Amino acid sequence: ATVSAMEDFRRWLASHGAGDGGKAIPAAVPEGLGLVAARDLPRGEVVAEVPKKLWMDADAVAASDIGRACGGGGGLRPWVAVALLLLSEVARGADSPWAPYLAILPRQTDSTIFWSEEELLEIQGQCAMQKFLPVVVCWDLSVTFMLLLSLAGTQLLSTTVGVKEYVQSEFDSVQAEIISTNKDLFPGSITFDDFLWAFGMLRSRVFPELRGDKLALIPFADLVNHSPNITSEGSSWEIKGKGLFGRELMFSLRTPVNVKSGQQIYIQYDLDKSNAELALDYGFVESNPSRDSFTVTLEISESDPFYGDKLDIAEANGLGETAYFDAMRDACKSALADYHTTIEEDEELSGRENLQPRLAIAIGVRAGEKKVLQHIDGIFKQREEELDGLEYYQERRLKDLGLVSDNGEIIFWE
Ligand code: SAM
């Protein structure tokens, strides 16, 4: 954002009663734009107040031409409705009431949805193939049997591709149903990249708790950046009624820690997100090992002669045909072999100076995946050793089901 765009934005905020006595100033910071304390601020101090009339949310959609063009916008998914509002307001240029806000929005973030194919390949190695490994799994010690453990070493890569496919399919339908039939609202044509930009803005700027119908872009408050050093639970914001009868809603942001004048105000975006999720949503990762993750998919092969029974058992244990365990600390060396670098090489690379941010994210995520896999491998080794000593629950279950004869032979009926 240019200096004059920033000045326009500050003026716009002030003229709409946003701010809070100028305690937090929108400014250029290493993370792009951010909020800088104009004076010493104690923990819990309100630093930004944004009246509802400035929010880009479902009500703003309903009151807009988009809303009029599609029956209040109620039939659209909330994020699609707000994305269309964003794009149509951008198309209005200086006529938009949000123009000064739209002018300071970044053209991109480092979210993996904006990466080139080449950049995405850095997350993985040469082998992007999904692997299936037979393993013995034990749930609640009540059921043990062979499942296929699928290890796609390309987690973030495949999630990113999946998200882009989803955005593409939403784009195709709004293109056909709304954009192409309302040329006046979208005078220049809207491309998939425009729509993806709007999706990326929502994904990176909407406060996580503002989901579904509550989804809203809150100008000004959405300039606050994330710091790994802020670990306080609970959100740093609330929605308050303002005015005599509390009718005008206000989004109110507080600083979770003391901030010295001139320093940046930060919040914690989400303690539960893995580095892969942070990379996808916001375009950054943390070095915190608890953010490392690897999702393991367990599935029962349909060609398994006991498919139906195993499925029944799995379901009785609260698992469907395919069970996902985030960061489940399980298996596997062969998945590790799919990465074209070792953890040590990644660590060496990430220590280098002037590393491109996207490469740093890719290295952070893949090193994290590998660390989880190694840890899982250790747990599995231990589990294997225990297995010998365990009573064979599988056998007992199968006996109960009449699938194993008393002498322990499995009965096949084909
Ligand atoms: N910096 C944003 C801007 O320029 O408009 C305002 C914050 S916005 C809610 C979230 C985005 O800010 C993220 O997608 C990322 O691009 C950036 N960001 C926030 N915290 C960050 C951090 N700790 N490290 C790197 N980038 C960060």
Side-chain angles (χ1 to χ4, degrees):
T2 63
V3 173
S4 79
M6 291 299 285
E7 279 168 5
D8 286 349
F9 179 62
R10 286 186 209 130
R11 231 174 285 128
W12 178 74
L13 289 175
S15 71
H16 287 91
D20 193 63
K23 287 182 232 168
I25 312 286
V29 294
E31 298 88 351
L33 297 181
L35 297 177
V36 171
R39 57 174 173 79
D40 289 357
L41 300 169
R43 189 182 119 205
E45 184 88 346
V46 172
V47 294
E49 287 206 306
V50 187
K52 175 145 164 97
K53 60 179 187 255
L54 296 186
W55 306 358
M56 296 186 95
D57 65 352
D59 291 331
V61 174
S64 73
D65 290 335
I66 300 277
R68 283 185 280 281
C70 45
L76 295 170
R77 285 180 204 283
W79 82 261
V80 173
V82 178
L84 287 178
L85 177 67
L86 194 55
L87 292 170
S88 67
E89 293 301 325
V90 169
R92 282 172 73 185
D95 289 342
S96 168
W98 286 282
Y101 169 61
L102 303 174
I104 61 128
L105 287 178
R107 293 309 308 153
Q108 270 200 1
T109 67
D110 281 324
S111 158
T112 52
I113 61 168
F114 297 119
W115 292 18
S116 68
E117 254 169 62
E118 213 183 21
E119 286 167 332
L120 282 171
L121 282 175
E122 280 298 339
I123 302 167
Q124 198 41 38
Q126 309 92 335
C127 180
M129 254 183 47
Q130 190 135 309
K131 270 218 167 147
F132 292 100
L133 298 158
V135 291
V136 176
V137 180
C138 206
W139 284 319
D140 298 339
L141 297 181
S142 64
V143 50
T144 311
F145 49 64
M146 295 285 272
L147 290 176
L148 289 178
L149 172 66
S150 117
L151 293 178
T154 52
Q155 306 238 283
L156 180 53
L157 180 59
S158 59
T159 314
T160 303
V161 170
V163 165
K164 287 178 79 168
E165 280 169 2
Y166 164 70
V167 176
Q168 178 77 58
S169 75
E170 290 294 317
F171 174 67
D172 292 343
S173 60
V174 289
Q175 176 71 36
E177 287 157 29
I178 298 166
I179 300 174
S180 67
T181 54
N182 291 282
K183 289 261 181 338
D184 50 325
L185 300 182
F186 304 97
S189 63
I190 298 287
T191 64
F192 170 67
D193 281 348
D194 298 328
F195 196 67
L196 186 67
W197 169 79
F199 172 84
M201 286 303 106
L202 294 175
R203 200 77 202 175
S204 64
R205 310 186 79 84
V206 169
F207 289 80
E209 297 91 334
L210 293 178
R211 283 189 214 99
D213 291 346
K214 296 201 188 73
L215 187 115
L217 276 174
I218 316 275
F220 187 36
D222 70 352
L223 289 181
V224 71
N225 288 311
H226 163 91
S227 167
N229 302 331
I230 293 174
T231 52
S232 47
E233 292 277 359
S235 60
S236 309
W237 58 269
E238 62 190 316
I239 291 171
K240 294 195 285 205
K242 184 141 187 205
L244 198 51
F245 302 103
R247 264 179 306 195
E248 203 201 347
L249 294 178
M250 197 56 113
F251 183 97
S252 170
L253 180 75
R254 292 169 189 279
T255 170
V257 293
N258 299 339
V259 186
K260 286 249 175 290
S261 177
Q263 285 185 343
Q264 197 182 160
I265 299 160
Y266 288 105
I267 62 166
Q268 165 64 240
Y269 282 177
D270 194 329
L271 284 170
D272 296 331
K273 279 187 176 152
S274 67
N275 267 338
E277 290 171 294
L278 292 177
L280 182 74
D281 292 348
Y282 305 108
F284 63 78
V285 290
E286 285 186 6
S287 55
N288 179 352
S290 73
R291 297 274 194 186
D292 293 338
S293 77
F294 195 97
T295 306
V296 174
T297 306
L298 299 176
E299 63 186 12
I300 305 163
S301 162
E302 272 182 70
S303 62
D304 187 320
F306 303 117
Y307 176 73
D309 298 299
K310 288 183 178 180
L311 198 55
D312 286 348
I313 298 170
E315 276 168 2
N317 282 275
L319 296 162
E321 186 176 346
T322 309
Y324 300 91
F325 299 87
D326 253 310
M328 172 172 151
R329 306 266 153 128
D330 278 344
C332 232
K333 291 216 160 70
S334 73
L336 280 162
D338 278 352
Y339 296 85
H340 70 308
T341 54
T342 62
I343 294 179
E344 294 69 30
E345 283 164 344
D346 288 342
E347 279 170 354
E348 192 274 314
L349 282 169
S350 67
R352 289 194 191 169
E353 272 171 42
N354 301 325
L355 203 59
Q356 291 295 312
R358 291 182 184 184
L359 187 57
I361 292 170
I363 295 169
V365 170
R366 75 186 184 212
E369 288 184 357
K370 280 178 270 195
K371 283 181 197 161
V372 174
L373 279 167
Q374 263 186 358
H375 185 83
I376 283 171
D377 187 49
I379 292 183
F380 240 67
K381 217 156 106 203
Q382 195 188 336
R383 172 54 52 88
E384 236 165 45
E385 284 159 16
E386 284 167 11
L387 221 56
D388 280 342
L390 280 174
E391 187 184 346
Y392 276 83
Y393 293 96
Q394 170 201 31
E395 243 169 67
R396 202 171 63 197
R397 269 318 290 230
L398 296 180
K399 249 182 223 161
D400 290 349
L401 293 165
L403 300 176
V404 177
S405 67
D406 286 339
N407 58 17
E409 273 166 32
I410 294 178
I411 303 167
F412 288 92
W413 56 85
E414 294 109 312

